[in-house]
Amino acid sequence: MSDSAISTTEHAPEHPPGLQHHFAEMEQQADSAKIGMWAFLVTEVLLFGGLFVGYGIMHARFTEAFASAHHHLDRVMGTLNTVILLTSSWTMVMAVSSARAGKQKNLVRYLTVTLLLAGAFLVVKYLEYSHKFHEGLLPGRFYTYAGPHLPEEFLFFSFYFMMTGLHGLHVLAGMIVISWLLRRAIRGDFSPSYYNPVDMGGLYWHLVDIIWIYLFPLIYLIS
Amino acid sequence: MADVASTSHPMAAGEPAATNYLKAERGFKSWIFTLDHKRIGVMYLWSVLLMFLLGGIFAMLVRLELLTPGKTIMEADTYNRMFTLHGAVMIFLFIIPAIPASLGNFVLPLMLGAKDVAFPRLNLASYWIYVIGAVFGVVAMVTGGVDTGWTFYTPYSTTSSTSVTTMTFAAFVLGFSSIFTGVNFIATIHRLRAPGMTWFKTPLFVWGIYATAIIQVLATPILGITLVLLMMERVFSVGIFDPRLGGDPVLFQHFFWFYSHPAVYIMILPGMAIISEIIPTFSRKNIFGYRAIAYSSVAIAFISFLVWGHHMFVSGQSELASAVFSFLTFLVAIPSGVKVFNWLATMYKGSIDLKAPMLYAIMFLMLFAIGGLTGLFLGALATDIHLHDTYFVVAHFHFVMVGGTVIAFIGGLHYWWPKMFGRMYSEKWARIAAVLIFIGFNVTFLPQFVLGTRGMPRRYYNYLDQFQPLHAFSTVGSWILGLGLFIVLGYLLASLRKRYDAPPNPWGGTTLEWTTSSPPIAHNFEHVPVVTREPYDHSPAPAPAPAGD
Amino acid sequence: MAAHSYAEEKKINTAVLGSLLALTALTVAAAGIHFESPAVNTIVALAIASMKASLVALFFMHLRYEKPINAIIFLTGIAMLAVFLGLTLLDVDYRATPRPANLKPPPGGFTAGVEPAKPGGTAPPAAGEAAQPAEQAPPAR
């Protein structure tokens, strides 16, 4: 865009690749990006936090209905997805380390695995969802479960779908980000002096993981 | 002009016309895809002014309807939509982005001595998301309007047949715009200050914008999830806010006010920030109590999160919560008072120059003092029971929001207009308009305090005959206020037809934005400024042109 | 930034992953134990989750090595969430039914609507008993 054109004319001799014109040096750019990213992650924490607060209050009010409703969830599937997501966090942080160390091949490899694990997470989620749909365990007015249940059990599924659905959307967004990183990594955009996008994508992905770390026990393991 | 010996940076006063940011690139695309914070600020400015006009038209219609009891010009249903749209447009589309996203965007990097904000693309995205949100808002207006009040209280909002879902979606989208602005400013203030500019050498406008950004980042996500839950309630009947399904409608109010009370400070903090700039400049004096004002901004930001329950004293919330919230509410008065007294102390024995921006600053002091003090009546548990949902509340928040924020916004617009567009406006007309606005505002809203204490409920279409004279006063006042605002728009627009005639520093300001040309060049400064002095140091410069490289 | 070599980083990250997986096994196992009060289960689950989240934030997200400002920003967000939860519970947990103390229940008790449904109730609650706080179970934290 226009700003890169200007910056090349201004600092043509010693302009490092990836430095935007309004920053004086790479460190300033990286620090700014990190501060911005953490501020953004805080907004994500609060967005999900609001849902958690709503869930907590409704759970406290209808403890038995929620406890009874959560038996419809498959703990094995939930645990499996936890393992998948934790492992993908590990591959993501290894991708960042690879980028910092200039290990181009490792970077591409780790990003690919992360992307595949994210896809696997969504596949498991899809299996769980279709099972719930089949049984009529749907949110709100679409709850048509025929078996014996307490009247407030639908509330649990309202929250189940809103919380895991919002989280699933974040996984999807993460997959888009990782795909974009992968494309740039294959193109050879990143180097030990410029890997900021990988770092930022990693932070986002770990936050998605942290949210699941809380979602899993609160939804699948309550008593 | 007046800047004899007061500016420390006499350079950068060259002929700027060829390279200034308004002319650096040409064509429609150079604007809509611009990454220049100044151009984005200007686009935001025109957009929020358009929304101010729209919200103002709704306000005039509401006031006209209330001229007489019963039907004056519209049916009750239409009236409900009008006051809702007035509130929603003014809050979400005008006042929240008004100062940070337009003036803040333009001035903040200049004040920091930076070339741009930290994330120019995010800045542009914020603007276009704002436009998308505004489009959804307009769609909601033309597809049936909204009649819930801007607060969207459940359970009515979950059952109303008007376009509540579209309007909440619009507000949801606008939240992203606000978050992006906040994230951007936080990173910018942390990492893009000029060499030598320590935290306590930044202008107080920066502190105010920083405190605002903290709230934008911390509070807006809760609004987002609240509106999502409300939309889910309408579409899926998820049950969280619906008492028939076991939900809790008061919980909605907690969710809503956890954002919307701090949002009040998203509105007023930037207004205070502008006043902190105008007063030292037009008093020709260093600010009194710099650190106290700076810290009080951040203190207000944090305390603002602890007081939301004072909107809910009669909602059925627990008495314990009400008592705690009432107590915490009084704490906000402390940092607000600190600011007001420091501004007064700055003016004391200053060489006060009553130019238009200073007139608005003084107006702010008077009106905000009334707005703030009446807020204490409402924060007190016992009096609030009587005053809740009356015109007293309406008058109170209009004194703070209009008398505070909007007056400060107009003052800031006058203060930076020569910098933004390179032209001086007519000082004579500016003073006439300022007087009209002051009179019009008070005639509109002072009678509403009286109406409220006598029991006139807010948002009512009809009223008892005994309230009619005061309502008539209020309506006539709205016409005077409207006239004053139109004069402002008139002479500001007229100034744009002139040649560039603004000097780099027309007011004798001491902050960095006055060291560059008016309008600034595309990259803001010829050389990266180096800061050695306090921001409001009006003493003669020790050495010529510290702005080397 | 971390002053570690790639190999060292790999070792640390792998150890962190191992701890995370172990903690996952622990939380699943703990969910099978029935403590005296279900609140204990919730507290244990949240404590383990917080340990896991801290590991991710400190090591995977590099907060341990970064400038403190990033951690401050993150912790401020969490503090605000705590404020939101805490002050909301101040209402929800202490809400009294707004009935005059000397009000006598009508024949057949009060109709539904004021009290939330009792947990386990399968029909609209036929609450005839005196006013009581809305909260029946310990709040989830």
Side-chain angles (χ1 to χ4, degrees):
Chain A
M1 299 214 60
S2 62
D3 66 324
S4 55
I6 290 163
S7 52
T8 38
T9 50
E10 268 189 359
H11 322 268
E14 82 294 9
H15 179 71
L19 180 65
Q20 290 177 289
H21 84 277
H22 55 288
F23 292 111
E25 73 221 353
M26 288 306 266
E27 195 202 343
Q28 188 189 28
Q29 176 172 325
D31 276 2
S32 303
K34 263 176 211 151
I35 289 173
M37 193 67 202
W38 278 103
F40 173 71
L41 295 186
V42 160
T43 70
E44 294 280 11
V45 167
L46 285 158
L47 186 80
F48 278 95
L51 265 182
F52 278 109
V53 168
Y55 173 80
I57 287 170
M58 287 299 145
H59 176 220
R61 187 167 292 180
F62 305 117
T63 315
E64 282 181 30
F66 274 48
S68 150
H70 101 283
H71 288 302
H72 291 291
L73 301 185
D74 191 337
R75 267 190 197 181
V76 178
M77 294 275 216
T79 312
L80 177 64
N81 254 353
T82 309
V83 172
I84 289 175
L85 216 49
L86 289 173
T87 314
S88 80
S89 241
W90 178 80
T91 54
M92 191 71 215
V93 74
M94 288 314 297
V96 176
S97 295
S98 309
R100 187 187 305 143
K103 294 181 184 294
Q104 171 72 12
K105 266 190 193 161
N106 281 7
L107 170 63
V108 172
R109 205 175 295 152
Y110 279 122
L111 282 177
T112 313
V113 178
T114 312
L115 191 61
L116 290 176
L117 286 170
F121 178 89
L122 287 184
V123 168
V124 173
K125 203 81 248 172
Y126 167 78
L127 293 176
E128 284 190 81
Y129 272 18
S130 52
H131 184 243
K132 302 282 171 303
F133 286 7
H134 187 68
E135 290 196 346
L137 295 166
L138 287 158
R141 70 166 70 133
F142 300 102
Y143 184 87
T144 54
Y145 183 62
H149 63 276
L150 298 170
E152 290 86 17
E153 286 192 21
F154 82 95
L155 255 172
F156 176 83
F157 285 97
S158 295
F159 276 101
Y160 169 77
F161 279 104
M162 285 194 291
M163 292 164 95
T164 57
L166 188 62
H167 181 261
L169 283 179
H170 279 76
V171 173
L172 206 59
M175 287 178 73
I176 294 170
V177 171
I178 296 167
S179 308
W180 173 72
L181 290 174
L182 189 57
R183 193 171 140 257
R184 290 191 69 180
I186 292 170
R187 204 165 60 191
D189 283 4
F190 303 122
S191 65
S193 65
Y194 175 67
Y195 60 96
N196 209 12
V198 187
D199 212 359
M200 297 301 107
L203 287 180
Y204 174 80
W205 190 248
H206 298 312
L207 189 87
V208 172
D209 190 20
I210 286 186
I211 289 164
W212 183 260
I213 284 175
Y214 281 96
L215 270 179
F216 170 62
L218 283 180
I219 290 187
Y220 286 83
L221 304 180
I222 55 169
S223 46
Chain B
M1 289 297 294
D3 55 343
V4 276
S6 58
T7 51
S8 49
H9 310 290
M11 60 171 300
E15 178 53 61
T19 55
N20 83 57
Y21 79 99
L22 291 167
K23 295 195 167 171
E25 288 179 90
R26 287 186 172 280
F28 186 61
K29 276 192 181 171
S30 78
W31 280 90
I32 62 170
F33 294 126
T34 185
L35 298 177
D36 183 346
H37 69 97
K38 299 184 288 301
R39 286 186 163 209
I40 295 171
V42 168
M43 292 200 291
Y44 252 124
L45 178 65
W46 295 121
S47 309
V48 298
L49 287 178
L50 187 68
M51 288 302 145
F52 187 38
L53 181 67
L54 187 64
I57 290 170
F58 290 134
M60 301 300 274
L61 292 173
V62 166
R63 273 321 321 163
L64 193 56
E65 169 54 42
L66 291 168
L67 185 59
T68 59
K71 184 183 173 186
T72 310
I73 55 163
M74 62 179 88
E75 297 298 331
D77 278 349
T78 319
Y79 172 80
N80 288 349
R81 287 176 170 79
M82 284 299 137
F83 76 68
T84 302
L85 293 179
H86 165 65
V89 169
M90 283 298 196
I91 299 277
F92 292 116
L93 286 165
F94 169 62
I95 209 166
I96 286 179
I99 296 175
S102 66
L103 297 178
N105 232 326
F106 190 97
V107 177
L108 182 73
L110 287 169
M111 278 189 164
L112 296 174
K115 285 182 188 157
D116 208 320
V117 290
F119 315 117
R121 285 193 184 82
L122 192 67
N123 203 13
L124 183 65
S126 155
Y127 176 71
W128 285 108
I129 289 170
Y130 169 81
V131 172
I132 293 168
V135 167
F136 274 103
V138 172
V139 168
M141 285 172 215
V142 296
T143 57
V146 183
D147 65 350
T148 59
W150 78 277
T151 47
F152 308 123
Y153 271 12
T154 54
Y156 180 62
S157 61
T158 56
T159 52
S160 169
S161 61
T162 53
S163 303
V164 177
T165 311
T166 317
M167 188 53 103
T168 42
F169 185 72
F172 177 74
V173 172
L174 290 168
F176 280 99
S177 163
S178 188
I179 285 175
F180 288 170
T181 303
V183 165
N184 213 340
F185 286 176
I186 287 181
T188 305
I189 294 169
H190 269 282
R191 288 302 284 144
L192 286 181
R193 282 170 282 134
M197 185 180 275
T198 56
W199 276 96
F200 291 107
K201 286 202 176 88
T202 58
L204 287 166
F205 183 76
V206 175
W207 279 93
I209 292 290
Y210 185 69
T212 309
I214 291 176
I215 306 180
Q216 283 176 307
V217 166
L218 291 178
T220 318
I222 299 285
L223 174 75
I225 200 65
T226 310
L227 297 175
V228 167
L229 286 170
L230 181 56
M231 285 186 268
M232 290 291 137
E233 192 75 85
R234 282 180 66 87
V235 178
F236 293 109
S237 302
V238 290
I240 175 172
F241 299 135
D242 191 337
R244 289 171 306 175
L245 302 173
D248 185 350
V250 176
L251 194 58
F252 174 85
Q253 297 187 23
H254 283 295
F255 271 73
F256 182 82
W257 287 113
F258 181 81
Y259 166 76
S260 294
H261 191 78
V264 171
Y265 297 91
I266 294 180
M267 305 172 203
I268 194 68
L269 274 169
M272 294 168 158
I274 288 175
I275 301 306
S276 301
E277 293 300 314
I278 294 177
I279 286 185
T281 298
F282 291 93
S283 303
R284 299 285 176 271
K285 236 183 107 199
N286 200 343
I287 191 98
F288 184 89
Y290 173 91
R291 288 197 182 211
I293 297 180
Y295 285 135
S296 66
S297 295
V298 181
I300 287 177
F302 282 106
I303 297 174
S304 75
F305 283 94
L306 309 177
V307 301
W308 80 84
H310 66 221
H311 296 268
M312 300 167 57
F313 287 159
V314 300
S315 70
Q317 98 179 327
S318 76
E319 287 167 11
L320 175 68
S322 290
V324 170
F325 278 125
S326 180
F327 169 75
L328 291 170
T329 299
F330 282 92
L331 293 182
V332 184
I334 299 170
S336 309
V338 164
K339 279 180 187 289
V340 171
F341 288 119
N342 278 307
W343 291 325
L344 291 176
T346 305
M347 289 167 64
Y348 179 67
K349 288 192 174 170
S351 167
I352 291 172
D353 184 3
L354 286 179
K355 289 244 167 34
M358 189 61 174
L359 288 180
Y360 285 103
I362 294 171
M363 231 188 273
F364 174 98
L365 289 179
M366 293 194 238
L367 301 180
F368 176 73
I370 297 175
L373 286 173
T374 50
L376 294 181
F377 300 8
L378 296 170
L381 212 39
T383 47
D384 182 71
I385 303 296
H386 298 278
L387 296 171
H388 191 91
D389 266 350
T390 68
Y391 265 56
F392 192 90
V393 178
V394 178
H396 155 68
F397 71 72
H398 279 90
F399 262 83
V400 179
M401 298 289 92
V402 184
T405 310
V406 178
I407 293 296
F409 172 66
I410 298 173
L413 194 58
H414 283 79
Y415 185 56
W416 286 304
W417 184 267
K419 182 56 64 185
M420 294 178 87
F421 297 104
R423 282 92 161 186
M424 304 301 291
Y425 48 82
S426 159
E427 185 66 31
K428 185 182 87 181
W429 279 106
R431 291 182 188 195
I432 294 172
V435 171
L436 280 177
I437 287 173
F438 185 69
I439 294 172
F441 177 85
N442 282 301
V443 175
T444 308
F445 291 107
L446 278 177
Q448 296 187 1
F449 281 123
V450 184
L451 279 172
T453 50
R454 291 185 184 177
M456 171 75 206
R458 69 190 283 203
R459 291 180 171 171
Y460 272 33
Y461 173 70
N462 204 349
Y463 54 80
L464 300 175
D465 287 340
Q466 71 213 45
F467 294 136
Q468 210 267 333
L470 286 169
H471 269 298
F473 252 108
S474 187
T475 301
V476 171
S478 74
W479 298 338
I480 303 173
L481 180 57
L483 176 68
L485 292 170
F486 263 105
I487 293 175
V488 172
L489 189 66
Y491 63 74
L492 287 182
L493 289 180
S495 78
L496 292 182
R497 298 165 59 93
K498 297 194 296 179
R499 290 166 163 280
Y500 291 121
D501 64 345
N505 189 359
W507 318 122
T510 54
T511 40
L512 282 180
E513 79 270 27
W514 304 112
T515 63
T516 186
S517 53
S518 298
I521 55 170
H523 281 95
N524 292 354
F525 298 95
E526 299 281 355
H527 305 282
V528 177
V530 177
V531 177
T532 52
R533 289 156 60 98
E534 308 253 310
Y536 304 105
D537 191 348
H538 278 84
S539 60
D549 57 347
Chain C
M1 226 350 89
H4 300 288
S5 73
Y6 176 78
E8 280 170 328
E9 281 183 17
K10 185 165 185 176
K11 218 163 90 186
I12 295 172
N13 290 334
T14 311
V16 170
L17 177 65
S19 325
L20 288 171
L21 293 176
L23 285 169
T24 305
L26 185 64
T27 194
V28 173
I33 306 169
H34 287 286
F35 293 99
E36 285 171 37
S37 153
V40 178
N41 278 73
T42 311
I43 291 166
V44 168
L46 282 178
I48 296 175
S50 298
M51 278 154 74
K52 288 164 73 179
S54 310
L55 283 175
V56 173
L58 285 174
F59 292 95
F60 286 180
M61 299 172 93
H62 307 302
L63 269 188
R64 218 178 110 90
Y65 318 109
E66 295 286 358
K67 292 187 174 133
I69 179 66
N70 298 312
I72 291 171
I73 292 173
F74 194 52
L75 291 177
T76 310
I78 290 166
M80 280 305 144
L81 192 59
V83 165
F84 180 44
L85 179 65
L87 286 177
T88 303
L89 288 182
L90 209 55
D91 167 25
V92 177
D93 278 1
Y94 294 90
R95 219 182 269 168
T97 311
R99 281 188 202 128
N102 57 354
L103 187 67
K104 294 213 170 63
F110 290 107
T111 46
V114 182
E115 292 281 343
K118 283 178 70 179
T122 47
E129 57 251 38
Q132 55 183 328
E135 214 46 59
Q136 307 253 343
R141 291 261 145 72

